[in-house]
Structure formats: structure tokens, C-alpha cells
Amino acid sequence: MSTLEVSPAEPRFSEPGHTVVNDFSIQVATVNGSGSQTANTVLMRSIFQMGVPVSGKNMFPSNIAGLPTWFTIRASKHGYIGRKKEIDLLVAMNPETAREDVTKLDSGAAVVYDEPLKLDTLRSDLHFYPVPFDKLVAPVCPDAKLRKLVRNMIYDGIVAWLLSIDMDEIRQALVKQFGKRKAKAADLNWGAAQAGYDYAAKTFTKSDPYQVERMHENTGKIIIEGNSACALGAMFAGVTVVTWYPITPSSSLVESLIGYLKRFRIDKETGRATFAVVQAEDELASIGMALGAGWAGARSMTSTAGPGISLMSEFVGLGYYAEVPTVIYDVQRVGPSTGLPTRTMQGDILSTALLSHGDTQHPMFFPCSPEECFTMSIEAFDFAERFQTPVFVMTDLDLGMNNWMSDPFPYPDKPIDRGKVLSAEDLDKLGSFARYKDVDGDGVGYRTLPATNHAAAAYFTRGSGHNERAQYTEREDDYIHNMDRLAHKFDTMRKHVPAPAIQYREDAEIGFIAAGTSHYAVGESCDQLRDQYNIPASYFRLRAYPFNAELVEFIQRHERVYVVDQNRDAQLLALMRLEMAPEEIAKLRSIRYYGGLPLDARTITDEVISQEGR
Amino acid sequence: MSTITTPAPKKVNRIGLEVLNYKGAKTTLCAGCGHNSISERVIECFYELGVEPWRVGKFSGIGCSSKSPAYFLNMSHGFNAVHGRMPAIATGAIMANRNMLGLGVTGDGDTASIGIGQFMHLVRRNLPMIYIIEDNGVYGLTKGQFSATADLGSKLKTGVINDLPPFDCCALALRWGATFVARSFSGDKKQLQALLKTAIVHNGLSVIDVVSPCVTFNDHEGSTKSYSYMKEHETMLHELDFVPSYEDISVEIAEGEVRDVELHDGSHLRIRKLHRDYDPTSRLGALHALENAEKNHEVLTGVLYVNTEKPNFLEMLHMVEEPLATLPEAKVRPTKEALDEIMEELR
């Protein structure tokens, strides 16, 4: 017996002839391991090729095969690429979730489904398109073993017919997906898509309003995952030592990097690598190696997710205190503990800012897009060496593992900045140096690299108490002096971290503060508040920690400021509270989402309206 | 009596440095601590071989032993890391600068307890560096608890008996990939010198486990890591002579008496047979000998295993010759054309 609720019998169809162009979301529900990724990527890419702004989000299980997975494609003529809460077209391929998926739909949505599931009996206010997938796949795929993988391509053809997607674009996307070397596979899949299209054209009468029309918004744009963008950033930043331990959702960052390094960082004269990559035994080792390499002068990095960050805590404290540069990518996922390894969250902000015992503070960069993954990576490597400290690049699963449209990345316009490093020639002039002395007043000392060919180059690096000359000390005055200098160094960073992106709206009483992938939902929510509620809202997109003076100014200029957090405990807000004055704290309000899915605009808008008492 | 004296010419090594240039800060360890003897051997060996001290990277973890890198080679960079995780720091640093001569000093707590995982992976990688375990069977800095190398049945000062078997770091090292493995005693100056010099030129991971008594917490009756226990139970496998590459080696060697191991840089390790035949190139033989020694309550010292053929970790990485740390921008930042090519692929 089904426990599902049956909807009202009255259908709420739109008027005949009414169309909704380039403004809808498609959800494809499949079983993971069934080859649906190809079909979904091709569908998304075909809409992209038609010039319509599009985004794709994969909601997948922590499992190799057999569990439910959903892929959402959103097309938006307005350029909104955050997740849309409402689903307009469901492709129901998974018998296990189909009934619940259908029940959740808003009235008027369309459903393409596997005919034997008989979903049309569940509701009468939806547009149903039953498809006999097994019957259609047999003739186009004689090899029974491959049918499971090819079967999903049929819905691409069906959807193409329903939405008026040009089949040539499907064909082109397939070729892109499989490349020239796998032409046979591309042909097989093309046959399936074609069969789907023909079946739909012959069988269905279109009753839903959704449609794709060609636009020209995507000229020159690329499609890329945030993890690959970070990898490219690291490579163009000149990374030389990469250490890592596999963990979802960060593994593909280093795997992508390895691929690029092998192509672009083999010395042409010698055929040898200008990099070293080590898969370490655990995150304790990967951060240790990254710090060892950074200490010795390499541009080093490691990449991980929350559980790895927890493990790295002790070493990161050493990096802070001994002042060793390295870059740490945190592709955040849902915690605590193992949590939901394949869902997204901004869950490590507070713990990372203050990671490790004693008084510690770490700079964090918050890219919101693949382009920022690239540019901020380059900035992060310079920053780590400039300030001689571990720098965290905080992305999340949504940004890291999903496909995003992006402008092509700009080639770095500044040379690499290696920070304050004394060479043998410098030492000849100076005679000696004190590693932790604040010579320039910015809190940053001068370092030498090990194996510098000079008798005065050496100093001793330690996590125990040390004075300006890096000698062991337990003296009260030495300790306080050093800790105050580190605090001063952190203050200096405020002026050098990536600047915030601020949009002041005239007459806005309220403002938003958000970071990273919250951007898309917040931007869209600002439009919803303006268009639907006549509430203007300013928006401060935080791009880094430590905060700077503009943040305080933004809060002061508004009556109420909503801090958006993708976590339960309002971590970003909590971090602000640590350094804000009481009158600023009094203005802060919290909007939190922590369900593991990419944040959507409606959730924010509804919450603002509720808190505003409207 | 004349008041004018001509100072004696200063004694220098082959790169013109005095032994003073190889010293460190004054030790803060206990008087009589075995670790201090090991520091002295380090100073002598690096001085005598004429190693450029600025080419050396000193690494340690946490513990009494790990303090000692401050007490030698002041002209070398040093990194006192976190407890048990010196191998990771050293691995990163040596990858970053392949010209660095890595010298790790650690203890039995640092290596065999908290750091056993990193130690095993260091061994597995055969990273070219020297890894000295100053092994006294107890935690000194926390006042005398057993470590994981304490022998079964050995007794603490408080009378507590150890009822767990020890890890034999040499057996672990030679079984899982280290290519120069030796055991010695901090009181054996000549043997330790030969072993250290061999380790300096060896082109792979050298693990030297040095029994180094803790005079404060583990030098009493019932301890198996005391000076007196070692005097009674140390069994030398052979006599060792290190002949550096720059010295004439055309001395006659009597057949069957001496085994000659040619090392990476052309130096030689002369292994002179004592009471028994011992083949230090046989891994299985070494494990067998260690097993027997444990049964007979002997502490075997000397070269347990040497392999000069196996590739080390740096060789496997297939890196450019110059250190990664100092590669110029043109070598590490691909061109604009490369970025354009990638962007085009992603369209």
C-alpha cells in the first residue's frame, strides 16, 4: 500500500498556447552506476550550446553502484545558475524513488517516465509522458550487456523533442563527450537518442509549456568543475610539490591536477617533471609533507575535505607558529564526522579559521566560481609565501564537483611573488639575519631556504617557543613579543586578502553577507525580494578571511544584515561576532541552510520575509 | 719567557672548515645521556668527510632525542617537527630540494609508537636520508614510561614490568624497504662512526638504531637498555671500516676475511668478519639473525642490511635535476598558449 498522498483531482494546467521559454529546471532521477552521467552531461551541454545559461548539479550517493542519484539541470534566460527548488520536468528512471519524486512536484510539472512504473495513476495535475525504454533500446543496442548504459540516452532524445532542443546539438555534445577516439560509443549513444526523439515525435502531443529557444549568452564560455579550475590555478601558480590523500569531494582536484601537470609541466629539454606529486599515507602525512616542502622553498599544496582538516589540525598549528607557507584546499562536505560525504556544506569555516590548539588564526579564501577558483589559487600561493603561513582555499562540493559555466580564465598578469627570501648574496651584504624579526613593520620576517649556499643561512625551525633569532625560549617577554607580532601579521593580511564584492542598493535597509557558493542563491534572492516584495537589499560577498574595514562599514550602513550560512551553527556569523563591536553584532541576523543540497534562492527569500515580518 | 706566541695553525677539513663549524648549541640533555655521544659522532663524521654543513637539513620529532639536532651542525637548517611526524616534514623538504642531505634524529617513542605509521611509509619509499633512532626504551621527557621498543620483561625504575613484546625497528626497516639498516650502541665510537659515514654517502634510506641509555630513567638493574646490559649483551657482527671516495683504497685485502661494499659515491665500507659469517646483503638472513639474537638475549650490532641497487624515492619521481624549490618562473608557469589550449578544450 502506498503511503503517498494523492493530489487534488483538479489539474492546474497552464492555458493552452502558454509557453515558458528558457526558464525551468529538469531533474533526472536514476540509479548510480547506470551510465546516466553521460546522458545528463550531454543534455546539459546541448542547452549550453544553444546559448542558454545553464547549470548542472549532481546529487549522488556515497556508493559505487545501486543507490539513487539525481541530476538537476537549470536553464535560465536571466542567468540564474543556482539551484532552483521547484522542478519543472522530471525524468523518472529509478523505480525506487519515482513515486516520491512525482509526489514532490508542483502542479503543472512534466514527467517523462519508464512506462512500467505507471506513474500517471498517482496524480492528475501533471503532464505525463510514458516511454517504453526497454522496448526502444533493444533494436538500437544489439549487445544486451551495453543496454543498461545506453538506455539513458533515450531520455535525451525524448527531452530534446519536448523542449525543442536541436538534435544537432545533442549530436555535437556527444562527440565532445566521447572524443574522437570513442567514435563507436558516440554512435551507439546517438542511435539511442535518435530513437527517443523519433518515438516522442510519433507518440506525444506536447501539453507542458517548457521550451528552449536559442540565445547568444554563452559565446566564448567554458564548462568546468571547480576542482579542475583549482587544479589549473595551482598549476599556473607554479605549484611544485603536491601531496594528498584521497577523500570525497576533493580527490578529483588532485587527479585533475596530475593530468594537467603531466601535459604542461614536463621540462621540454630533459623530459623530466618540474613537480612532485605524492599520494601520502594519510592527511597527517600529506600536510606534513606540504609544510616540509614549503619550508624548503617549494610552492606546495595539499587538498582535502573536513575529516582531513580535522586530522591536519596539529600540523597547521605548527605551520602558523613556525611560519611555513603552504596552500590547503578544503572542498567542504557535510559533517560532522563522516557526515554526508557526497553532499555540500560550508561546514568548516569556523574550525578552519582557528584550527589547532593555542591562539591560531588562518587566512581563508572563498571562491564562488570556477574563475575565482583559478584566480584565487594563484593569489593563494603568492599570499602563502608573502605572509609565510598556511592559506586555506575554501570551496565546497557544489562548486568542486558540479559543472559550471564560466568565462575563460585570465592568464596571470603578475609575476610569481616568492615573498621575503634572503639569497646568499643578500646574506653577504647583511652578514646575518634574525628569522622572526619584524624588520619592515608588517609582522613578516625574512627567511632563508635550506641548502642556501652560505654559512650564515641556517636557522632552526621549531614548534616550541622561539625568539627573534629562532632560538628556543620559555621567557615570558619573548613569547608575548612573538605572539603579538603574529597577531600584527594577521592584521596586515586584512589589506592584502582578496577584496569583497559589494553591491550597495539605494534605500536598502537590509543587506546580505555571504561567501562562496551562497552567491548564486543570494543574488537571485535579491532580485526576488526586489521584484516580488519591493524590498531592496544590498549584498556584500565576502571573498576572504581575515575581514577588512569594508565589512564593518557595510554593516553600519544597514539596519539589518542577514548573514547567510550553509551550516547549522551560523559559522560565518560566529566568526564575525569574534571581532565586531556590540552595536554591529546587534544588526546581524542569521539565515542558515544545512540540508546538504546546494542553496537555493527561495529558501533565502522565504526566510527573509519571515524575519522581516512581512 | 716571551710574551709573543704564534698561534698553532687551525686544523681544517678538506673544505677548509674547522670542527667548530660543525658544532651546535650547548646540550641541555642529562650528563651521561647516550644521545650526547651520538651528537658528538655526528659532528666528527660530518667534519671528517668534509660535508658542506649548509647542504644538510636536520629533522626531528618530539622527545629528548629530537632536541639533539640543536646540539650539532649549527650551520645547517633544522626543523623540529611534531611528535612522530618528522618523516613527513623530511619527505616534503627533500622532494623540494633534492640536493639536501637529510639527517633525521628521532627516538623510540617518536618512531615506534606515535610515529610508527610515518616511519613505515618512509621505509617503504626508501627516501634518501639518514634516520637515526636514539633508542632507550623509555619516554624521558615525560619521566620514564615504557616505549614500544622496551623488551619483554624489562623493568622500569618504579618496578613495573613490561609485558608487551618490542617492535624491532631494524627488522621493520629492512623488511619493508630501507636500503641501509644498522644497529649500534652510543658507547661504541668506532662502529658508530663507520655506520654514520656510510649513511652519509648511501643513496637511499639509512636507518641506524642506536641503543642510547637514558641515565635518568632506564639505566638500572632490570633494564635491557642500560650501559651495563649493553656491555654484557652486545654482540658485534663484524668490524667496520669506512674508506671515503677521496682516499686511496689500494690496500691488499685478504680473501674471505673482508667483504667490501662499494657505495654510491665511490666510497667503500669494509666489513671484517669476526666470529661468524654474516651476509649483510641478505634480507632473509638479517631477519633470521635478529630472530635468533632475540631468543639468545643478544643485541646484534653492525650492518644488518645493505642494498646499493634499489632505486630511491627521488629517482622514482623522475624530477628535473635542479631543486624544485628554486626553479624559475619560466619552468613552473605554463605559457598563455597552454592556457588558451585548455580553455578551447573546455568550450
Side-chain angles (χ1 to χ4, degrees):
Chain A
M1 204 177 81
S2 169
T3 53
L4 297 175
E5 235 177 272
V6 177
S7 330
E10 279 301 303
R12 211 204 60 189
F13 286 177
S14 51
E15 288 161 36
H18 168 75
T19 56
V20 177
V21 177
N22 296 345
D23 189 13
F24 56 84
S25 74
I26 307 170
Q27 184 169 63
V28 183
T30 51
V31 177
N32 81 323
S34 67
S36 55
Q37 208 176 340
T38 303
N40 297 334
T41 309
V42 166
L43 189 55
M44 177 189 167
R45 190 166 266 286
S46 64
I47 298 171
F48 170 77
Q49 287 163 196
M50 288 186 71
V52 181
V54 68
S55 62
K57 296 196 186 298
N58 194 8
M59 278 150 257
F60 60 104
S62 179
N63 163 270
I64 298 302
L67 287 181
T69 175
W70 293 268
F71 191 84
T72 318
I73 297 167
R74 180 179 188 183
S76 166
K77 62 186 167 203
H78 307 292
Y80 297 136
I81 53 174
R83 187 171 73 90
K84 183 168 179 266
K85 213 173 181 180
E86 308 81 11
I87 303 298
D88 302 303
L89 170 58
L90 171 72
V91 179
M93 301 296 287
N94 184 356
E96 264 187 61
T97 65
R99 296 174 78 84
E100 192 184 342
D101 288 340
V102 165
T103 308
K104 279 187 188 162
L105 293 171
D106 281 355
S107 187
V111 185
V112 172
Y113 67 99
D114 195 11
E115 199 167 36
L117 297 176
K118 297 200 169 67
L119 301 177
D120 56 337
T121 58
L122 289 174
R123 291 173 64 163
S124 55
D125 60 339
L126 305 173
H127 306 271
F128 285 103
Y129 302 101
V131 180
F133 283 93
D134 288 336
K135 252 185 242 168
L136 293 177
V137 76
V140 294
C141 185
D143 186 346
K145 274 183 282 180
L146 292 177
R147 275 179 206 156
K148 192 183 92 170
L149 300 174
V150 173
R151 196 173 176 264
N152 285 316
M153 257 337 272
I154 293 172
Y155 64 69
D156 277 14
I158 304 276
V159 172
W161 182 85
L162 282 173
L163 299 178
S164 311
I165 296 169
D166 193 333
M167 279 303 274
D168 283 347
E169 302 294 359
I170 297 269
R171 169 92 213 178
Q172 201 190 316
L174 260 173
V175 170
K176 180 103 190 165
Q177 178 76 11
F178 284 100
K180 281 181 192 133
R181 278 180 299 169
K182 290 184 184 164
K184 252 191 183 171
D187 283 345
L188 192 62
N189 280 282
W190 171 243
Q194 192 74 54
Y197 186 90
D198 293 346
Y199 177 82
K202 195 176 67 193
T203 319
F204 299 139
T205 308
K206 184 170 166 79
S207 56
D208 69 88
Y210 304 107
Q211 222 165 317
V212 175
E213 269 176 24
R214 215 171 264 283
M215 293 172 73
H216 300 283
E217 295 299 310
N218 301 339
T219 314
K221 286 204 188 323
I222 61 168
I223 292 182
I224 190 170
E225 293 170 359
N227 279 350
S228 300
C230 287
L232 284 172
M235 178 168 75
F236 281 88
V239 70
T240 44
V241 173
V242 182
T243 64
W244 68 301
Y245 185 75
I247 183 170
T248 303
S250 95
S251 303
S252 64
L253 194 161
V254 175
E255 284 168 335
S256 162
L257 179 54
I258 292 169
Y260 283 124
L261 289 172
K262 283 183 175 167
R263 280 180 64 193
F264 296 101
R265 287 280 300 278
I266 301 293
D267 186 49
K268 286 207 176 67
E269 288 155 39
T270 58
R272 286 169 169 269
T274 60
F275 60 88
V277 182
V278 183
Q279 184 183 321
E281 55 268 34
D282 52 33
E283 289 89 345
L284 304 174
S286 60
I287 181 64
M289 290 176 194
L291 287 172
W295 173 76
R299 299 213 122 184
S300 69
M301 64 166 271
T302 183
S303 178
T304 190
I309 294 290
S310 294
L311 285 170
M312 290 177 183
S313 165
E314 186 191 22
F315 252 138
V316 168
L318 174 69
Y320 170 80
Y321 194 42
E323 302 180 58
V324 182
T326 194
V327 174
I328 303 164
Y329 288 92
D330 180 8
V331 188
Q332 297 167 91
R333 68 185 213 189
V334 174
S337 190
T338 305
L340 312 179
T342 59
R343 297 295 146 89
T344 195
M345 182 182 188
Q346 295 178 337
D348 306 339
I349 292 175
L350 192 55
S351 57
T352 302
L354 308 173
L355 196 66
S356 208
H357 54 276
D359 291 325
T360 52
Q361 294 168 302
H362 312 290
M364 301 184 287
F365 291 4
F366 301 112
C368 80
S369 64
E371 189 177 338
E372 284 191 347
C373 287
F374 180 79
T375 55
M376 280 192 186
S377 289
I378 293 168
E379 286 179 85
F381 279 90
D382 283 352
F383 198 89
E385 291 202 295
R386 170 57 45 190
F387 289 98
Q388 301 170 3
T389 200
V391 174
F392 290 86
V393 180
M394 308 291 287
T395 74
D396 58 33
L397 183 141
D398 181 21
L399 180 54
M401 290 190 74
N402 283 322
N403 274 312
W404 297 78
M405 283 193 333
S406 169
D407 284 324
F409 304 155
Y411 192 74
D413 56 359
K414 278 185 288 193
I416 286 172
D417 178 4
R418 305 298 315 261
K420 300 182 187 181
V421 178
L422 296 174
S423 64
E425 295 73 45
D426 295 331
L427 291 166
D428 273 340
K429 278 177 236 153
L430 293 168
S432 71
F433 82 110
R435 169 69 183 94
Y436 298 112
K437 189 173 167 66
D438 185 6
V439 179
D440 303 324
D442 56 3
V444 186
Y446 283 80
R447 63 177 184 141
T448 54
L449 302 185
T452 296
N453 197 359
H454 198 284
Y459 69 94
F460 201 92
T461 304
R462 44 164 57 93
S464 46
H466 43 270
N467 61 19
E468 283 184 343
R469 304 201 76 86
Q471 293 154 330
Y472 184 81
T473 177
E474 293 176 7
R475 288 173 60 103
E476 181 190 35
D477 53 351
D478 281 341
Y479 176 78
I480 291 173
H481 180 68
N482 190 39
M483 290 304 285
D484 286 350
R485 181 185 54 79
L486 283 165
H488 176 53
K489 177 167 98 168
F490 202 69
D491 268 338
T492 307
M493 291 180 201
R494 295 178 197 279
K495 296 182 213 92
H496 298 271
V497 293
I502 314 169
Q503 291 171 352
Y504 281 109
R505 292 264 190 271
E506 228 173 293
D507 306 327
E509 281 183 21
I510 67 165
F512 283 110
I513 297 172
T517 51
S518 298
H519 172 60
Y520 304 96
V522 172
E524 190 177 348
S525 175
C526 285
D527 291 355
Q528 287 175 348
L529 289 168
R530 181 197 59 206
D531 299 344
Q532 295 162 21
Y533 299 93
N534 201 21
I535 301 176
S538 300
Y539 173 23
F540 184 102
R541 183 162 67 84
L542 197 72
R543 296 171 73 231
Y545 175 78
F547 309 129
N548 60 18
E550 286 170 291
L551 180 65
V552 175
E553 194 197 329
F554 181 86
I555 296 169
Q556 285 168 348
R557 280 175 62 169
H558 295 90
E559 300 299 316
R560 297 170 299 284
V561 175
Y562 291 89
V563 182
V564 179
D565 263 294
Q566 294 185 50
N567 53 66
R568 184 194 68 182
D569 293 346
Q571 296 186 16
L572 198 55
L573 181 91
L575 200 53
M576 289 178 195
R577 279 170 178 271
L578 290 177
E579 52 184 85
M580 296 284 158
E583 52 272 29
E584 282 130 28
I585 293 174
K587 290 183 171 187
L588 299 180
R589 298 186 175 195
S590 176
I591 293 180
R592 293 159 295 136
Y593 169 75
Y594 44 95
L597 301 179
L599 184 58
D600 69 281
R602 186 56 62 189
T603 296
I604 297 177
T605 303
D606 289 352
E607 185 61 28
V608 170
I609 292 305
S610 155
Q611 292 197 34
E612 288 285 305
R614 298 282 285 257
Chain B
M1 213 171 85
S2 166
T3 53
I4 303 160
T5 53
T6 317
K10 281 178 183 163
K11 208 176 152 196
V12 294
N13 63 9
R14 65 194 183 101
I15 63 163
L17 294 180
E18 297 172 58
V19 70
L20 194 67
N21 298 123
Y22 290 82
K23 291 197 167 165
K26 190 173 173 294
T27 177
T28 58
L29 299 173
C30 306
C33 175
H35 301 357
N36 288 331
S37 311
I38 299 169
S39 294
E40 283 165 31
R41 299 296 86 74
V42 169
I43 293 166
E44 290 157 8
C45 290
F46 280 75
Y47 166 72
E48 285 170 18
L49 287 187
V51 177
E52 293 166 322
W54 43 86
R55 199 166 68 79
V56 179
K58 301 179 289 183
F59 301 97
S60 64
I62 295 294
C64 291
S65 58
S66 291
K67 285 173 168 242
S68 66
Y71 313 140
F72 54 77
L73 303 186
N74 246 354
M75 284 162 73
S76 307
H77 275 79
F79 201 142
N80 185 193
V82 295
H83 198 17
R85 289 182 264 278
M86 172 264 276
I89 291 286
T91 304
I94 291 167
M95 283 194 295
N97 192 330
R98 58 183 308 168
N99 294 341
M100 183 189 297
L101 173 57
L103 169 61
V105 179
T106 164
D108 40 302
D110 208 46
T111 286
S113 293
I114 189 168
I116 189 91
Q118 294 218 337
F119 172 60
M120 291 313 299
H121 284 273
L122 180 78
V123 162
R124 180 171 173 245
R125 293 189 181 102
N126 189 31
L127 182 81
M129 73 175 288
I130 305 162
Y131 190 94
I132 299 171
I133 306 166
E134 300 186 337
D135 188 354
N136 57 19
V138 285
Y139 288 83
L141 269 184
T142 51
K143 306 201 169 176
Q145 301 80 7
F146 277 127
S147 83
T149 66
D151 289 308
L152 191 64
S154 63
K155 198 162 80 177
L156 280 187
K157 243 181 162 176
T158 54
V160 177
I161 304 288
N162 180 32
D163 49 13
L164 287 174
F167 275 131
D168 184 332
C169 292
C170 288
L172 292 172
L174 69 91
R175 174 61 188 85
W176 302 110
T179 44
F180 179 67
V181 180
R183 175 161 283 138
S184 192
F185 170 44
S186 63
D188 190 338
K189 182 173 173 176
K190 182 170 180 292
Q191 186 191 54
L192 191 49
Q193 274 188 341
L195 292 173
L196 262 175
K197 286 179 179 175
T198 305
I200 288 170
V201 301
H202 177 64
N203 189 33
L205 178 66
S206 300
V207 174
I208 309 179
D209 180 72
V210 188
V211 179
S212 175
C214 172
V215 289
T216 306
F217 295 108
N218 207 11
D219 197 29
H220 48 268
E221 183 70 36
S223 158
T224 61
K225 300 269 195 268
S226 66
Y227 282 107
S228 60
Y229 187 89
M230 281 304 287
K231 277 194 184 109
E232 282 164 34
H233 297 264
E234 182 186 6
T235 308
M236 288 208 285
L237 284 168
H238 32 233
E239 270 185 3
L240 301 172
D241 238 335
F242 177 84
V243 187
S245 58
Y246 49 85
E247 267 176 28
D248 182 20
I249 55 151
S250 59
V251 185
E252 283 284 311
I253 304 168
E255 187 87 12
E257 292 288 305
V258 170
R259 183 186 286 271
D260 185 89
V261 181
E262 181 164 1
L263 300 160
H264 181 69
D265 71 333
S267 301
H268 289 255
L269 179 64
R270 296 265 168 80
I271 303 175
R272 191 176 302 276
K273 193 168 107 177
L274 285 174
H275 330 284
R276 62 177 101 186
D277 270 327
Y278 184 80
D279 176 5
T281 63
S282 163
R283 204 160 71 171
L284 205 60
L287 289 168
H288 193 67
L290 285 170
E291 183 77 20
N292 278 338
E294 194 184 335
K295 270 185 219 145
N296 302 332
H297 303 289
E298 291 174 332
V299 183
L300 289 187
T301 63
V303 179
L304 290 162
Y305 181 66
V306 60
N307 177 341
T308 55
E309 304 293 320
K310 191 180 154 182
N312 68 44
F313 190 59
L314 293 184
E315 287 157 358
M316 289 178 236
L317 290 171
H318 205 66
M319 295 183 289
V320 289
E321 293 287 322
E322 59 266 56
L324 296 181
T326 48
L327 287 175
E329 179 162 334
K331 293 247 184 200
V332 298
R333 173 170 282 170
T335 59
K336 176 156 193 316
E337 289 66 41
L339 183 62
D340 290 345
E341 182 186 331
I342 297 164
M343 292 299 107
E344 193 49 44
E345 287 167 7
L346 295 166
R347 284 208 167 91

